[in-house]
Amino acid sequence: MSSAADPLAALGSLPGVAETVDSVRKAVDRVYGHRIMRRRSAELTSEAALRAARGSAALSGADWALEEVRRRTDFGADPEARAVGAALRLTAEAGQLLSIWRQSPLRVLARLHLVASGSTADGDVVGRPRLAGEPVDEPLIEQPLPPADEVAGRLDGLSRLVIAGTAAPALVLSAVVHGELLALRPFASHNGLVARAAERIVLINSGLDPKAICPAEVGHAELGREAYLEAFAGYVSGTPEGVAQWIAHCGRAVELGVRETTAVCEALQRGAA
């Protein structure tokens, strides 16, 4: 596939990106080679999903302790609880949408927004891109909001890119999907949560993390909201340096997710000894 037909291919040659991709692949391979993976991978997947939800919710303003997320059953009491509940639903749903993603990414995004919203209480804004003049509730992202017609065009371009496939590494594609959805904020609400869930789907579906045990959301939260927004501003700038900065940030987030799961593996191994 030529670089003209595959616009993401050139991103792999940005300064530092190849090194980031290689570092992430080695980190993922190491945790997949852990002896605990041979007999308790399902347990690791479940634990990683819980920690991913906690991390994504933290970036949306609900920074709860992991044990509180694990313990709670009521997620409708206040805005923070609703954000945590939405994040939990999204991590659970992401694995059910893998087969649909490459055929109809827009359908998946609509489903993710519906799941995050939790109901149709918000009327016909749920599960569809916003129209001109409709407000967006995403207070933590302060970049200028693209107009609705630009959103529609860029979503269509992103969809065609996913369907056509790319020679770009999975990390690059996942970072672009994540960054583009954050930049567009196509829905009336929950855009950050949806963007991170889409990143998760790409990392799993691409084969980089097929068992969903390397939660990038954990790393994004650990790196902190300020670093997240700074790296995102680089993506929005559209400069090669800015886009490379965002890809590097996403790569570091995956590596920190790997570190988290490695710690879980070690804990399980000590318990089994």
Side-chain angles (χ1 to χ4, degrees):
M1 184 180 290
S2 71
S3 59
D6 185 1
L8 292 190
L11 297 183
S13 63
L14 291 176
V17 170
E19 292 81 358
T20 296
V21 168
D22 185 55
S23 178
V24 168
R25 166 51 71 190
K26 288 177 179 176
V28 171
D29 286 347
R30 281 194 298 271
V31 74
Y32 269 82
H34 198 287
R35 59 186 298 183
I36 287 292
M37 279 294 296
R38 292 197 294 270
R39 47 199 171 87
R40 302 182 74 172
S41 63
E43 208 170 328
L44 290 173
T45 297
S46 296
E47 186 64 22
L50 183 73
R51 292 169 187 244
R54 194 217 72 83
S56 191
L59 287 171
S60 287
D63 193 0
W64 288 15
L66 178 63
E67 291 312 311
E68 178 67 6
V69 178
R70 196 190 304 278
R71 180 188 67 81
R72 283 284 287 267
T73 57
D74 175 16
F75 296 101
D78 56 63
E80 284 197 8
R82 288 193 290 274
V84 174
L88 285 166
R89 291 191 299 273
L90 284 171
T91 55
E93 186 73 11
Q96 310 302 313
L97 299 172
L98 300 178
S99 63
I100 305 172
W101 174 252
R102 286 189 177 177
Q103 284 72 45
S104 184
L106 296 184
R107 180 181 163 196
V108 169
L109 293 175
R111 175 63 185 170
L112 290 174
H113 186 243
L114 178 62
V115 167
S117 299
S119 71
T120 56
D122 293 327
D124 66 355
V125 302
V126 174
R128 67 155 174 80
R130 56 186 168 85
L131 303 177
E134 290 182 339
V136 173
D137 180 15
E138 200 69 44
L140 301 179
I141 304 295
E142 297 180 353
Q143 293 288 338
L145 195 67
D149 57 347
E150 180 181 339
V151 169
R154 286 170 64 177
L155 277 179
D156 182 64
L158 185 65
S159 175
R160 285 187 281 106
L161 185 67
V162 170
I163 292 169
T166 176
L171 177 68
V172 171
L173 177 59
S174 67
V176 168
V177 168
H178 183 172
E180 193 70 358
L181 292 173
L182 273 187
L184 295 178
R185 279 147 287 164
F187 300 110
S189 62
H190 300 99
N191 289 288
L193 292 171
V194 168
R196 291 184 289 275
E199 177 188 44
R200 179 179 182 80
I201 287 172
V202 174
L203 290 171
I204 299 168
N205 211 22
S206 65
L208 179 63
D209 181 22
K211 293 186 181 295
I213 62 165
C214 306
E217 300 94 329
V218 168
H220 287 305
E222 185 172 337
L223 290 166
R225 192 180 305 159
E226 184 177 342
Y228 184 72
L229 294 177
E230 181 182 345
F232 171 59
Y235 177 83
V236 173
S237 75
T239 65
E241 297 79 10
V243 174
Q245 178 189 7
W246 172 247
I247 294 171
H249 182 89
C250 292
R252 182 59 180 151
V254 174
E255 290 180 322
L256 289 171
V258 167
R259 188 178 72 177
E260 183 92 351
T261 295
T262 301
V264 174
C265 286
E266 295 299 325
L268 290 173
Q269 184 166 285
R270 287 193 299 273

